[in-house]
Structure formats: structure tokens, C-alpha cells
């Protein structure tokens, strides 16, 4: 996986890796409001009060993801490149690196928002995946780690255009 450099200078995932990432994220979409309503209605009709085990879903929201990273619960953090103001997420790669959690930057907060049924999302986190998706996650994590976590110093030195 090669990291493409945009005209703005942000390092984003290349198309192939991004496609694989979004395929994986799509499998763990949280339920929509309508789906939740149907689920609760069917539970009420059947008389169940216990929901069973929690579903495995993508976590979103800056504060939530930050907490997951600090607790080392996140397995992969996805950051949008076009967050405005950028100061909201500019520290996230440093935190992820400090906690040894793989992170990547993708084009478009609207694409991240689509995954979680919102207009936009600044960051997403994958906390766990089903056994059949472990391999896909591991492939993503390894490519992301080499392109982001391990290249941090190299990327940082190119900021501001100075050598």
C-alpha cells in the first residue's frame, strides 16, 4: 500500500487500501434508528428484556475514539483529512503513535459519516472484528502501520515545506 500525497500535502490512503478499509467498515455499520426501533419492538413483542451480547460495530465520535485509544481498546483508528477546524484531529496521530495503535488518514469526512449513518464523522475506530474478518484487519493494520506509524518522523519533517 502506497500513501498518496494530495495537493494539500495531507498523506491519505491509496485507493486499493481505502477500498479494503471501507469494505471492512461496511460490515460493522451501527444499526440505523429504524433498525433499532424494529429490534426493540420485536423484543417487546416477544417479552424479552435482555438484549444478549453487544454487537460488534464501528465506534465514532472524537471523544469516544479518544477514550478508546487511551484505554488501548481501539485496534485501528481512521481519521478524515478534511476536518475543519483541523486542530480537532491534528493531535490524534501523535496519541495513536504514543499508545502504539495503528491509524490512517482517508479522504473525506463525509465517507466516514456514511459508514455510521451520519452526515460527517471526523474519526472512526475498530475495536474488534469477527473471526472471519481477522485476516482482513491484520492486512490493513500491517500496511497502515508501515505507512503511518513507522513513517511518522519522515512525514513530520516534510511539514511546512522546509527540509
Amino acid at each position: 500500500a502506497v500513501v498518496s500525497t494530495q495537493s494539500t500535502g495531507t498523506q491519505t490512503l491509496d485507493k486499493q487500501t481505502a477500498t479494503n478499509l471501507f469494505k471492512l467498515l461496511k460490515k460493522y455499520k451501527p444499526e440505523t434508528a429504524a433498525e433499532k426501533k424494529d429490534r426493540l419492538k420485536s423484543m417487546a413483542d416477544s417479552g424479552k428484556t435482555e438484549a444478549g451480547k453487544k454487537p460488534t460495530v464501528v465506534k465514532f465520535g472524537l471523544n469516544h475514539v479518544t477514550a478508546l485509544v487511551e484505554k488501548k481498546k481501539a485496534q485501528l483508528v481512521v481519521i478524515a483529512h478534511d476536518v475543519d477546524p483541523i486542530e480537532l484531529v491534528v493531535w490524534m496521530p501523535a496519541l495513536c503513535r504514543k499508545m502504539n495503535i495503528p491509524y490512517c488518514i482517508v479522504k473525506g469526512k463525509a465517507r466516514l459519516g456514511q459508514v455510521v449513518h451520519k452526515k460527517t464523522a471526523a474519526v472512526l475506530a475498530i475495536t474488534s472484528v469477527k473471526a472471519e474478518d481477522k485476516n482482513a484487519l491484520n492486512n490493513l493494520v500491517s500496511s497502515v502501520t508501515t505507512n503511518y506509524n513507522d513513517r511518522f518522523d519522515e512525514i513530520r519533517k516534510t511539514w511546512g515545506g522546509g527540509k
Side-chain angles (χ1 to χ4, degrees), residues 86-102:
I86 194 68
E87 286 79 10
L88 291 173
V89 295
V90 83
W91 47 269
M92 187 61 90
L95 178 67
C96 290
R97 238 181 123 256
K98 182 181 177 215
M99 302 309 259
N100 229 0
I101 290 173

PDB file of all heavy atoms in Angstrom, residues 86-102:
ATOM      1  N   ILE A  86      -8.972  21.939  11.652  1.00  0.00           N
ATOM      2  CA  ILE A  86      -8.062  20.789  11.659  1.00  0.00           C
ATOM      3  C   ILE A  86      -7.514  20.501  13.057  1.00  0.00           C
ATOM      4  O   ILE A  86      -7.159  19.371  13.372  1.00  0.00           O
ATOM      5  CB  ILE A  86      -6.909  21.002  10.638  1.00  0.00           C
ATOM      6  CG1 ILE A  86      -6.137  19.706  10.366  1.00  0.00           C
ATOM      7  CG2 ILE A  86      -5.971  22.113  11.080  1.00  0.00           C
ATOM      8  CD1 ILE A  86      -6.921  18.655   9.628  1.00  0.00           C
ATOM      9  N   GLU A  87      -7.511  21.542  13.924  1.00  0.00           N
ATOM     10  CA  GLU A  87      -6.999  21.362  15.294  1.00  0.00           C
ATOM     11  C   GLU A  87      -7.761  20.292  16.068  1.00  0.00           C
ATOM     12  O   GLU A  87      -7.256  19.757  17.048  1.00  0.00           O
ATOM     13  CB  GLU A  87      -7.064  22.686  16.084  1.00  0.00           C
ATOM     14  CG  GLU A  87      -6.023  23.707  15.680  1.00  0.00           C
ATOM     15  CD  GLU A  87      -6.396  24.461  14.405  1.00  0.00           C
ATOM     16  OE1 GLU A  87      -7.534  24.335  13.928  1.00  0.00           O
ATOM     17  OE2 GLU A  87      -5.530  25.177  13.885  1.00  0.00           O
ATOM     18  N   LEU A  88      -8.976  19.978  15.630  1.00  0.00           N
ATOM     19  CA  LEU A  88      -9.759  18.939  16.311  1.00  0.00           C
ATOM     20  C   LEU A  88      -9.059  17.588  16.263  1.00  0.00           C
ATOM     21  O   LEU A  88      -9.136  16.814  17.212  1.00  0.00           O
ATOM     22  CB  LEU A  88     -11.153  18.804  15.674  1.00  0.00           C
ATOM     23  CG  LEU A  88     -12.109  19.965  15.880  1.00  0.00           C
ATOM     24  CD1 LEU A  88     -13.374  19.764  15.066  1.00  0.00           C
ATOM     25  CD2 LEU A  88     -12.465  20.109  17.347  1.00  0.00           C
ATOM     26  N   VAL A  89      -8.392  17.285  15.143  1.00  0.00           N
ATOM     27  CA  VAL A  89      -7.786  15.955  14.997  1.00  0.00           C
ATOM     28  C   VAL A  89      -6.269  15.957  14.817  1.00  0.00           C
ATOM     29  O   VAL A  89      -5.670  14.905  14.705  1.00  0.00           O
ATOM     30  CB  VAL A  89      -8.407  15.187  13.801  1.00  0.00           C
ATOM     31  CG1 VAL A  89      -9.859  14.885  14.044  1.00  0.00           C
ATOM     32  CG2 VAL A  89      -8.199  15.920  12.507  1.00  0.00           C
ATOM     33  N   VAL A  90      -5.656  17.134  14.818  1.00  0.00           N
ATOM     34  CA  VAL A  90      -4.235  17.206  14.479  1.00  0.00           C
ATOM     35  C   VAL A  90      -3.352  16.443  15.478  1.00  0.00           C
ATOM     36  O   VAL A  90      -2.288  15.943  15.127  1.00  0.00           O
ATOM     37  CB  VAL A  90      -3.790  18.683  14.309  1.00  0.00           C
ATOM     38  CG1 VAL A  90      -3.477  19.338  15.624  1.00  0.00           C
ATOM     39  CG2 VAL A  90      -2.628  18.790  13.364  1.00  0.00           C
ATOM     40  N   TRP A  91      -3.812  16.267  16.699  1.00  0.00           N
ATOM     41  CA  TRP A  91      -3.048  15.586  17.739  1.00  0.00           C
ATOM     42  C   TRP A  91      -3.301  14.077  17.755  1.00  0.00           C
ATOM     43  O   TRP A  91      -2.581  13.329  18.407  1.00  0.00           O
ATOM     44  CB  TRP A  91      -3.425  16.165  19.110  1.00  0.00           C
ATOM     45  CG  TRP A  91      -4.916  16.275  19.253  1.00  0.00           C
ATOM     46  CD1 TRP A  91      -5.682  17.350  18.925  1.00  0.00           C
ATOM     47  CD2 TRP A  91      -5.821  15.257  19.686  1.00  0.00           C
ATOM     48  NE1 TRP A  91      -7.011  17.065  19.139  1.00  0.00           N
ATOM     49  CE2 TRP A  91      -7.125  15.786  19.600  1.00  0.00           C
ATOM     50  CE3 TRP A  91      -5.649  13.954  20.136  1.00  0.00           C
ATOM     51  CZ2 TRP A  91      -8.254  15.057  19.941  1.00  0.00           C
ATOM     52  CZ3 TRP A  91      -6.773  13.219  20.484  1.00  0.00           C
ATOM     53  CH2 TRP A  91      -8.066  13.779  20.385  1.00  0.00           C
ATOM     54  N   MET A  92      -4.328  13.618  17.030  1.00  0.00           N
ATOM     55  CA  MET A  92      -4.715  12.200  17.074  1.00  0.00           C
ATOM     56  C   MET A  92      -3.599  11.250  16.621  1.00  0.00           C
ATOM     57  O   MET A  92      -3.350  10.246  17.289  1.00  0.00           O
ATOM     58  CB  MET A  92      -5.997  11.993  16.264  1.00  0.00           C
ATOM     59  CG  MET A  92      -6.584  10.601  16.367  1.00  0.00           C
ATOM     60  SD  MET A  92      -7.060  10.082  18.020  1.00  0.00           S
ATOM     61  CE  MET A  92      -8.730  10.626  18.101  1.00  0.00           C
ATOM     62  N   PRO A  93      -2.878  11.541  15.510  1.00  0.00           N
ATOM     63  CA  PRO A  93      -1.790  10.637  15.131  1.00  0.00           C
ATOM     64  C   PRO A  93      -0.717  10.500  16.215  1.00  0.00           C
ATOM     65  O   PRO A  93      -0.202   9.399  16.441  1.00  0.00           O
ATOM     66  CB  PRO A  93      -1.209  11.284  13.869  1.00  0.00           C
ATOM     67  CG  PRO A  93      -2.350  12.035  13.286  1.00  0.00           C
ATOM     68  CD  PRO A  93      -3.135  12.539  14.465  1.00  0.00           C
ATOM     69  N   ALA A  94      -0.401  11.600  16.897  1.00  0.00           N
ATOM     70  CA  ALA A  94       0.603  11.549  17.965  1.00  0.00           C
ATOM     71  C   ALA A  94       0.125  10.668  19.115  1.00  0.00           C
ATOM     72  O   ALA A  94       0.898   9.857  19.657  1.00  0.00           O
ATOM     73  CB  ALA A  94       0.904  12.956  18.463  1.00  0.00           C
ATOM     74  N   LEU A  95      -1.142  10.787  19.467  1.00  0.00           N
ATOM     75  CA  LEU A  95      -1.707   9.956  20.535  1.00  0.00           C
ATOM     76  C   LEU A  95      -1.691   8.485  20.130  1.00  0.00           C
ATOM     77  O   LEU A  95      -1.294   7.620  20.916  1.00  0.00           O
ATOM     78  CB  LEU A  95      -3.142  10.401  20.863  1.00  0.00           C
ATOM     79  CG  LEU A  95      -3.869   9.592  21.927  1.00  0.00           C
ATOM     80  CD1 LEU A  95      -3.216   9.778  23.289  1.00  0.00           C
ATOM     81  CD2 LEU A  95      -5.332   9.985  22.008  1.00  0.00           C
ATOM     82  N   CYS A  96      -2.104   8.209  18.893  1.00  0.00           N
ATOM     83  CA  CYS A  96      -2.119   6.825  18.405  1.00  0.00           C
ATOM     84  C   CYS A  96      -0.719   6.233  18.411  1.00  0.00           C
ATOM     85  O   CYS A  96      -0.520   5.081  18.791  1.00  0.00           O
ATOM     86  CB  CYS A  96      -2.702   6.750  16.994  1.00  0.00           C
ATOM     87  SG  CYS A  96      -4.467   7.078  16.949  1.00  0.00           S
ATOM     88  N   ARG A  97       0.265   7.042  17.995  1.00  0.00           N
ATOM     89  CA  ARG A  97       1.643   6.569  17.970  1.00  0.00           C
ATOM     90  C   ARG A  97       2.135   6.281  19.381  1.00  0.00           C
ATOM     91  O   ARG A  97       2.794   5.268  19.626  1.00  0.00           O
ATOM     92  CB  ARG A  97       2.538   7.634  17.335  1.00  0.00           C
ATOM     93  CG  ARG A  97       3.255   7.115  16.140  1.00  0.00           C
ATOM     94  CD  ARG A  97       4.160   8.144  15.529  1.00  0.00           C
ATOM     95  NE  ARG A  97       5.492   7.570  15.510  1.00  0.00           N
ATOM     96  CZ  ARG A  97       6.456   7.894  16.344  1.00  0.00           C
ATOM     97  NH1 ARG A  97       6.271   8.788  17.255  1.00  0.00           N
ATOM     98  NH2 ARG A  97       7.624   7.320  16.253  1.00  0.00           N
ATOM     99  N   LYS A  98       1.787   7.168  20.311  1.00  0.00           N
ATOM    100  CA  LYS A  98       2.213   7.004  21.708  1.00  0.00           C
ATOM    101  C   LYS A  98       1.618   5.727  22.307  1.00  0.00           C
ATOM    102  O   LYS A  98       2.294   5.003  23.031  1.00  0.00           O
ATOM    103  CB  LYS A  98       1.764   8.217  22.526  1.00  0.00           C
ATOM    104  CG  LYS A  98       2.193   8.171  23.967  1.00  0.00           C
ATOM    105  CD  LYS A  98       1.704   9.377  24.736  1.00  0.00           C
ATOM    106  CE  LYS A  98       2.091   9.237  26.192  1.00  0.00           C
ATOM    107  NZ  LYS A  98       1.090   9.803  27.079  1.00  0.00           N
ATOM    108  N   MET A  99       0.366   5.436  21.967  1.00  0.00           N
ATOM    109  CA  MET A  99      -0.319   4.262  22.512  1.00  0.00           C
ATOM    110  C   MET A  99      -0.092   3.014  21.649  1.00  0.00           C
ATOM    111  O   MET A  99      -0.649   1.960  21.921  1.00  0.00           O
ATOM    112  CB  MET A  99      -1.826   4.534  22.628  1.00  0.00           C
ATOM    113  CG  MET A  99      -2.170   5.719  23.481  1.00  0.00           C
ATOM    114  SD  MET A  99      -1.385   5.661  25.083  1.00  0.00           S
ATOM    115  CE  MET A  99      -2.722   5.098  26.091  1.00  0.00           C
ATOM    116  N   ASN A 100       0.701   3.160  20.588  1.00  0.00           N
ATOM    117  CA  ASN A 100       1.011   2.046  19.690  1.00  0.00           C
ATOM    118  C   ASN A 100      -0.228   1.483  18.999  1.00  0.00           C
ATOM    119  O   ASN A 100      -0.377   0.266  18.881  1.00  0.00           O
ATOM    120  CB  ASN A 100       1.749   0.947  20.457  1.00  0.00           C
ATOM    121  CG  ASN A 100       2.979   0.510  19.713  1.00  0.00           C
ATOM    122  OD1 ASN A 100       3.273   1.033  18.638  1.00  0.00           O
ATOM    123  ND2 ASN A 100       3.694  -0.437  20.263  1.00  0.00           N
ATOM    124  N   ILE A 101      -1.115   2.359  18.573  1.00  0.00           N
ATOM    125  CA  ILE A 101      -2.337   1.949  17.883  1.00  0.00           C
ATOM    126  C   ILE A 101      -2.235   2.403  16.432  1.00  0.00           C
ATOM    127  O   ILE A 101      -1.933   3.568  16.166  1.00  0.00           O
ATOM    128  CB  ILE A 101      -3.575   2.557  18.575  1.00  0.00           C
ATOM    129  CG1 ILE A 101      -3.762   1.866  19.924  1.00  0.00           C
ATOM    130  CG2 ILE A 101      -4.819   2.415  17.710  1.00  0.00           C
ATOM    131  CD1 ILE A 101      -4.802   2.444  20.798  1.00  0.00           C
ATOM    132  N   PRO A 102      -2.455   1.493  15.478  1.00  0.00           N
ATOM    133  CA  PRO A 102      -2.368   1.886  14.075  1.00  0.00           C
ATOM    134  C   PRO A 102      -3.454   2.892  13.707  1.00  0.00           C
ATOM    135  O   PRO A 102      -4.593   2.763  14.148  1.00  0.00           O
ATOM    136  CB  PRO A 102      -2.559   0.575  13.306  1.00  0.00           C
ATOM    137  CG  PRO A 102      -2.990  -0.431  14.283  1.00  0.00           C
ATOM    138  CD  PRO A 102      -2.758   0.080  15.651  1.00  0.00           C
TER     139      PRO A 102
END
